[in-house]
Amino acid sequence: MSDLRMEPARGDAMLEQWRYVHNAIVPADPLGLDAVRERSTRYRLENAYVGDVLVGCSTVRPPEGEDAVATVIARVLPEYRRRGYGTALYENGLAHARGLGARTIETCVLAVNEDGLRFAGRRGFVEVERYVLDGESDLWVDLRLA
């Protein structure tokens, strides 16, 4: 995994790269650059590269509430999956969330993303809820680390 480099997404060029990966993996929730800029003020957004090639991104939402629940989401472009990049992104995000005091870890996956659901399941996540957002038709799955 020595060829993988993870960097916080800072500045419009990196935020645009983060947006590209997000929108490719989550087409049901396409984001514009302004929305990504806003998210970057609340969440830790990170890009993953092999050399200069963008292979994925991650999001860490800081702990909230009495249970100190943090959300960790790792996304890898389909052509770069099954090489350990998702695991590295996830473990880095998990360590960051724990460093912020998270006691409970959750993730969110678009239900049609079977790779993402399998990835989460292999890491010990269990489904806690399925839902459709108001005015939408796509099914989402929230999972919690058991």
PDB file of all heavy atoms in Angstrom, residues 3 20 34 66 78 81 86 93 106 113 116 120 133 139:
ATOM      1  N   ASP A   3       2.164   2.766  -2.266  1.00  0.00           N
ATOM      2  CA  ASP A   3       1.919   3.673  -3.385  1.00  0.00           C
ATOM      3  C   ASP A   3       0.685   4.537  -3.188  1.00  0.00           C
ATOM      4  O   ASP A   3       0.432   5.450  -3.961  1.00  0.00           O
ATOM      5  CB  ASP A   3       1.829   2.894  -4.701  1.00  0.00           C
ATOM      6  CG  ASP A   3       0.756   1.819  -4.681  1.00  0.00           C
ATOM      7  OD1 ASP A   3       0.280   1.446  -3.592  1.00  0.00           O
ATOM      8  OD2 ASP A   3       0.404   1.336  -5.772  1.00  0.00           O
ATOM      9  N   TYR A  20     -15.920  14.685  -7.783  1.00  0.00           N
ATOM     10  CA  TYR A  20     -15.960  13.751  -8.898  1.00  0.00           C
ATOM     11  C   TYR A  20     -16.157  12.319  -8.398  1.00  0.00           C
ATOM     12  O   TYR A  20     -17.015  11.580  -8.888  1.00  0.00           O
ATOM     13  CB  TYR A  20     -14.677  13.859  -9.731  1.00  0.00           C
ATOM     14  CG  TYR A  20     -14.559  12.746 -10.734  1.00  0.00           C
ATOM     15  CD1 TYR A  20     -15.276  12.787 -11.932  1.00  0.00           C
ATOM     16  CD2 TYR A  20     -13.751  11.641 -10.479  1.00  0.00           C
ATOM     17  CE1 TYR A  20     -15.192  11.747 -12.848  1.00  0.00           C
ATOM     18  CE2 TYR A  20     -13.662  10.605 -11.384  1.00  0.00           C
ATOM     19  CZ  TYR A  20     -14.387  10.656 -12.558  1.00  0.00           C
ATOM     20  OH  TYR A  20     -14.304   9.623 -13.453  1.00  0.00           O
ATOM     21  N   ASP A  34     -20.155  24.122  -4.726  1.00  0.00           N
ATOM     22  CA  ASP A  34     -20.540  24.921  -3.559  1.00  0.00           C
ATOM     23  C   ASP A  34     -20.955  24.037  -2.387  1.00  0.00           C
ATOM     24  O   ASP A  34     -20.602  24.314  -1.231  1.00  0.00           O
ATOM     25  CB  ASP A  34     -21.664  25.900  -3.908  1.00  0.00           C
ATOM     26  CG  ASP A  34     -21.185  27.066  -4.749  1.00  0.00           C
ATOM     27  OD1 ASP A  34     -19.961  27.332  -4.772  1.00  0.00           O
ATOM     28  OD2 ASP A  34     -22.036  27.724  -5.381  1.00  0.00           O
ATOM     29  N   GLU A  66     -24.980  12.026  22.461  1.00  0.00           N
ATOM     30  CA  GLU A  66     -24.616  11.364  23.702  1.00  0.00           C
ATOM     31  C   GLU A  66     -23.771  10.112  23.467  1.00  0.00           C
ATOM     32  O   GLU A  66     -22.906   9.775  24.265  1.00  0.00           O
ATOM     33  CB  GLU A  66     -25.935  11.022  24.412  1.00  0.00           C
ATOM     34  CG  GLU A  66     -25.897  10.161  25.579  1.00  0.00           C
ATOM     35  CD  GLU A  66     -27.311   9.988  26.138  1.00  0.00           C
ATOM     36  OE1 GLU A  66     -28.023  10.984  26.333  1.00  0.00           O
ATOM     37  OE2 GLU A  66     -27.668   8.832  26.383  1.00  0.00           O
ATOM     38  N   PRO A  78     -14.653   2.353  -9.212  1.00  0.00           N
ATOM     39  CA  PRO A  78     -14.757   0.918  -9.529  1.00  0.00           C
ATOM     40  C   PRO A  78     -13.496   0.305 -10.138  1.00  0.00           C
ATOM     41  O   PRO A  78     -13.120  -0.826  -9.788  1.00  0.00           O
ATOM     42  CB  PRO A  78     -15.931   0.857 -10.515  1.00  0.00           C
ATOM     43  CG  PRO A  78     -16.773   2.037 -10.164  1.00  0.00           C
ATOM     44  CD  PRO A  78     -15.801   3.108  -9.726  1.00  0.00           C
ATOM     45  N   ARG A  81     -10.929  -0.828  -7.335  1.00  0.00           N
ATOM     46  CA  ARG A  81     -11.371  -1.633  -6.195  1.00  0.00           C
ATOM     47  C   ARG A  81     -10.597  -2.945  -6.110  1.00  0.00           C
ATOM     48  O   ARG A  81      -9.962  -3.376  -7.059  1.00  0.00           O
ATOM     49  CB  ARG A  81     -12.873  -1.902  -6.298  1.00  0.00           C
ATOM     50  CG  ARG A  81     -13.673  -0.629  -6.094  1.00  0.00           C
ATOM     51  CD  ARG A  81     -15.155  -0.850  -6.172  1.00  0.00           C
ATOM     52  NE  ARG A  81     -15.825   0.443  -6.009  1.00  0.00           N
ATOM     53  CZ  ARG A  81     -17.070   0.667  -6.335  1.00  0.00           C
ATOM     54  NH1 ARG A  81     -17.823  -0.308  -6.810  1.00  0.00           N
ATOM     55  NH2 ARG A  81     -17.592   1.865  -6.159  1.00  0.00           N
ATOM     56  N   GLY A  86      -9.647   0.901  -0.453  1.00  0.00           N
ATOM     57  CA  GLY A  86     -10.810   1.172   0.394  1.00  0.00           C
ATOM     58  C   GLY A  86     -10.512   0.887   1.851  1.00  0.00           C
ATOM     59  O   GLY A  86     -10.887   1.651   2.736  1.00  0.00           O
ATOM     60  N   GLY A  93      -9.799   6.887   8.106  1.00  0.00           N
ATOM     61  CA  GLY A  93     -10.971   7.625   8.583  1.00  0.00           C
ATOM     62  C   GLY A  93     -11.401   7.181   9.965  1.00  0.00           C
ATOM     63  O   GLY A  93     -11.764   7.997  10.816  1.00  0.00           O
ATOM     64  N   GLU A 106     -20.603   4.814  12.361  1.00  0.00           N
ATOM     65  CA  GLU A 106     -21.622   4.468  11.375  1.00  0.00           C
ATOM     66  C   GLU A 106     -21.092   4.757   9.978  1.00  0.00           C
ATOM     67  O   GLU A 106     -20.095   5.454   9.802  1.00  0.00           O
ATOM     68  CB  GLU A 106     -22.907   5.262  11.615  1.00  0.00           C
ATOM     69  CG  GLU A 106     -23.612   4.879  12.888  1.00  0.00           C
ATOM     70  CD  GLU A 106     -24.939   5.565  13.087  1.00  0.00           C
ATOM     71  OE1 GLU A 106     -25.207   6.607  12.442  1.00  0.00           O
ATOM     72  OE2 GLU A 106     -25.723   5.060  13.907  1.00  0.00           O
ATOM     73  N   ASN A 113     -25.431  -0.031  -4.295  1.00  0.00           N
ATOM     74  CA  ASN A 113     -23.980  -0.207  -4.285  1.00  0.00           C
ATOM     75  C   ASN A 113     -23.631  -1.495  -3.536  1.00  0.00           C
ATOM     76  O   ASN A 113     -23.234  -1.486  -2.375  1.00  0.00           O
ATOM     77  CB  ASN A 113     -23.307   1.007  -3.647  1.00  0.00           C
ATOM     78  CG  ASN A 113     -21.799   0.924  -3.647  1.00  0.00           C
ATOM     79  OD1 ASN A 113     -21.206  -0.092  -4.008  1.00  0.00           O
ATOM     80  ND2 ASN A 113     -21.168   1.991  -3.217  1.00  0.00           N
ATOM     81  N   GLY A 116     -20.196  -1.670  -1.969  1.00  0.00           N
ATOM     82  CA  GLY A 116     -20.104  -0.908  -0.733  1.00  0.00           C
ATOM     83  C   GLY A 116     -20.734  -1.627   0.444  1.00  0.00           C
ATOM     84  O   GLY A 116     -20.190  -1.617   1.555  1.00  0.00           O
ATOM     85  N   ALA A 120     -18.645  -2.915   3.752  1.00  0.00           N
ATOM     86  CA  ALA A 120     -19.029  -2.573   5.127  1.00  0.00           C
ATOM     87  C   ALA A 120     -19.275  -3.835   5.951  1.00  0.00           C
ATOM     88  O   ALA A 120     -18.831  -3.926   7.105  1.00  0.00           O
ATOM     89  CB  ALA A 120     -20.266  -1.684   5.113  1.00  0.00           C
ATOM     90  N   LEU A 133     -35.113   9.208   1.155  1.00  0.00           N
ATOM     91  CA  LEU A 133     -35.214  10.619   1.538  1.00  0.00           C
ATOM     92  C   LEU A 133     -36.482  11.226   0.952  1.00  0.00           C
ATOM     93  O   LEU A 133     -36.944  10.824  -0.123  1.00  0.00           O
ATOM     94  CB  LEU A 133     -33.982  11.383   1.056  1.00  0.00           C
ATOM     95  CG  LEU A 133     -32.654  10.947   1.667  1.00  0.00           C
ATOM     96  CD1 LEU A 133     -31.489  11.635   0.969  1.00  0.00           C
ATOM     97  CD2 LEU A 133     -32.631  11.230   3.161  1.00  0.00           C
ATOM     98  N   LEU A 139     -32.983   4.144  -2.400  1.00  0.00           N
ATOM     99  CA  LEU A 139     -32.930   3.521  -1.091  1.00  0.00           C
ATOM    100  C   LEU A 139     -31.521   3.632  -0.518  1.00  0.00           C
ATOM    101  O   LEU A 139     -30.535   3.305  -1.196  1.00  0.00           O
ATOM    102  CB  LEU A 139     -33.336   2.046  -1.211  1.00  0.00           C
ATOM    103  CG  LEU A 139     -33.438   1.242   0.077  1.00  0.00           C
ATOM    104  CD1 LEU A 139     -34.522   1.824   0.988  1.00  0.00           C
ATOM    105  CD2 LEU A 139     -33.753  -0.212  -0.258  1.00  0.00           C
TER     106      LEU A 139
END
